[in-house]
Amino acid sequence: MRTLLTRSVTLLAVLTLVAAGSTSAVAASGNRYVQITTSGDHTCALTARGQAYCWGSQGSYNGDFVMVPAGALGDGTLNNSLENGPQAVIGGLKFASISAGQDHTCALTTKGRAYCWGANGGANGDGRLGDGTTTASGVNGPQAVIGGLKFVSISAGDLFTCAVTARGKAYCWGANGGADGDGRLGDGTTTASGVNGPQAVIGGLKFVSISAGDDHACALTAHGEAYCWGANSQGELGDGTTNDSYENGPQKVIGNHTFASLNVSRDGGHNFTCALTVNGEAYCWGDNEDGQLGDGTTNDSHENGPQAVIGGLRFASINPGESHTCALTAKGRAYCWGYNVDGQLGDGTTNDSDENGPQAVIGGLKFASVRGGESHTCALTARGKAYCWGYNNDGQLGDGTTDASDEKGPQAVQ
């Protein structure tokens, strides 16, 4: 089984690298992107040379619906990009991977060093940047994560961040569940990391990938076993309960599936998880109010664990947003399902998929990667051209407008 998983993961990685490394056509801005990430109200991408660009909102909205800028774009300003499209992240660093959180962003250099920028916990401070402070980065751009660790993967969630070292050890930092606690850091406490930086996830497990969401995180072992920790009111941990993990750390996902990839919903309190088996079968679990699990119902999974996505499609990658999910077939065709008020499904409508499962993204494009954000979606073609669709109030589509895509489908990033 391990050999099967290893071959499957290797094949997916090779296909992605070949696609990302393809030459010729470039994005409209002149940049050829090899990775794209969406979350909250901003989007970031990496060029083939490791330069980071971000566009959209610099922060998040408070209870009075006033945007509080924090420097999530990392461009040395507190200005939303609006019609200006992609903005270069300052600091001159070269990155190998990047992950956008709700109102912060994190990235890894080619040597595995982690840097984060944007919000860092507000008045009370949670330390989601991991830089030894609880102060937003503001106009200062990327801040080095303390502790001297080197990571191979990183994932910025809503109020926290998680990463995995080359030896498979997981660390998380930031919020850990508020007043009541939920244990989303997986460190055996319900206390925010604050100024202490990365905290080791308990349990002694070794992981090959990790994904941080709104208030839970999940990770995969080399054997394709999924473990999750944090909040669990809708069954988003997939462990056959609706109990938060609290101080108990990672909980094993039920169902005896062997997964090749896994990603957690990004933001906004709609907590769910999706994963692909080594055969490309899609499963999701957790909140399902708008049909984001794709199982032909609008019922939360609760204690039932992973639910099969209907439609009989096989996928090569899958990435949930806040309350919608998108996935790519092996031939690069994009399908999305769930909430769709701003056209984030890209199917030419603004209708939720509800019980209808995956809907084909219009436009005939073939993509090498896709990422669901809070209310928008972005994808890269095999030649590095970026397209986005959905909500666009702060310019998070990067298309030179602040208009939602609605029924228009994918829009080219400038």
Side-chain angles (χ1 to χ4, degrees), residues 351-368:
N351 303 321
D352 299 348
S353 70
D354 293 328
E355 293 91 350
N356 297 317
Q359 306 296 300
V361 173
I362 63 173
L365 294 162
K366 292 184 179 181
F367 297 112

Side-chain angles (χ1 to χ4, degrees), residues 245-270:
S245 68
Y246 296 115
E247 293 91 351
N248 299 318
Q251 306 297 298
K252 188 175 182 179
V253 174
I254 63 174
N256 294 318
H257 301 291
T258 302
F259 294 117
S261 65
L262 176 151
N263 277 293
V264 171
S265 61
R266 306 302 293 171
D267 311 290
H270 295 275

Side-chain angles (χ1 to χ4, degrees), residues 262-332:
L262 176 151
N263 277 293
V264 171
S265 61
R266 306 302 293 171
D267 311 290
H270 295 275
N271 299 301
F272 65 105
T273 309
C274 290
L276 296 180
T277 69
V278 293
N279 295 317
E281 300 161 325
Y283 287 83
C284 298
W285 56 95
D287 180 28
N288 196 29
E289 180 180 358
D290 300 298
Q292 58 262 43
L293 299 189
D295 66 344
T297 79
T298 52
N299 302 321
D300 298 346
S301 68
H302 292 305
E303 293 89 351
N304 298 318
Q307 305 297 296
V309 173
I310 63 173
L313 293 162
R314 299 290 178 95
F315 297 110
S317 65
I318 192 166
N319 254 296
E322 177 193 2
S323 52
H324 74 291
T325 305
C326 293
L328 294 181
T329 67
K331 293 185 177 181

Side-chain angles (χ1 to χ4, degrees), residues 12-358:
L12 287 174
V14 169
L15 289 173
T16 301
L17 287 171
V18 169
S22 180
T23 56
S24 65
V26 296
S29 63
N31 292 322
R32 179 170 61 87
Y33 296 114
V34 296
Q35 186 191 352
I36 197 163
T37 176
T38 61
S39 191
D41 293 323
H42 74 290
T43 307
C44 295
L46 290 182
T47 69
R49 293 186 177 183
Q51 174 67 57
Y53 287 81
C54 296
W55 55 96
S57 172
Q58 288 278 15
S60 60
Y61 292 87
N62 63 20
D64 297 322
F65 298 100
V66 175
M67 204 278 289
V68 180
L73 301 188
D75 65 342
T77 79
L78 294 178
N79 303 319
N80 295 347
S81 69
L82 299 175
E83 291 91 353
N84 297 318
Q87 304 297 300
V89 173
I90 64 173
L93 294 162
K94 297 289 182 72
F95 296 113
S97 65
I98 192 166
S99 179
Q102 172 66 19
D103 49 12
H104 76 294
T105 308
C106 294
L108 296 180
T109 69
T110 54
K111 294 184 178 181
R113 297 298 187 186
Y115 287 80
C116 298
W117 56 94
N120 203 17
N124 296 321
D126 55 43
R128 74 194 76 166
L129 299 188
D131 65 343
T133 79
T134 54
T135 304
S137 68
V139 299
N140 298 315
Q143 305 297 299
V145 173
I146 64 173
L149 295 162
K150 293 184 178 181
F151 300 109
V152 294
S153 68
I154 194 166
S155 179
D158 188 351
L159 306 177
F160 72 117
T161 308
C162 292
V164 173
T165 69
R167 293 179 179 267
K169 192 165 185 178
Y171 290 82
C172 296
W173 54 95
N176 205 13
D180 298 325
D182 55 37
R184 73 189 71 173
L185 297 188
D187 65 343
T189 79
T190 53
T191 304
S193 65
V195 299
N196 298 316
Q199 305 297 298
V201 173
I202 63 173
L205 294 161
K206 291 186 176 181
F207 299 113
V208 294
S209 66
I210 198 165
S211 181
D214 183 21
D215 52 15
H216 78 292
C218 295
L220 280 184
T221 70
H223 296 282
E225 297 169 325
Y227 287 82
C228 300
W229 55 93
N232 195 30
S233 62
Q234 294 154 313
E236 56 264 41
L237 300 190
D239 65 344
T241 78
T242 52
N243 302 321
D244 295 352
S245 68
Y246 296 115
E247 293 91 351
N248 299 318
Q251 306 297 298
K252 188 175 182 179
V253 174
I254 63 174
N256 294 318
H257 301 291
T258 302
F259 294 117
S261 65
L262 176 151
N263 277 293
V264 171
S265 61
R266 306 302 293 171
D267 311 290
H270 295 275
N271 299 301
F272 65 105
T273 309
C274 290
L276 296 180
T277 69
V278 293
N279 295 317
E281 300 161 325
Y283 287 83
C284 298
W285 56 95
D287 180 28
N288 196 29
E289 180 180 358
D290 300 298
Q292 58 262 43
L293 299 189
D295 66 344
T297 79
T298 52
N299 302 321
D300 298 346
S301 68
H302 292 305
E303 293 89 351
N304 298 318
Q307 305 297 296
V309 173
I310 63 173
L313 293 162
R314 299 290 178 95
F315 297 110
S317 65
I318 192 166
N319 254 296
E322 177 193 2
S323 52
H324 74 291
T325 305
C326 293
L328 294 181
T329 67
K331 293 185 177 181
R333 297 298 185 186
Y335 289 81
C336 299
W337 55 95
Y339 193 57
N340 195 32
V341 69
D342 296 299
Q344 54 262 55
L345 300 190
D347 66 343
T349 78
T350 53
N351 303 321
D352 299 348
S353 70
D354 293 328
E355 293 91 350
N356 297 317

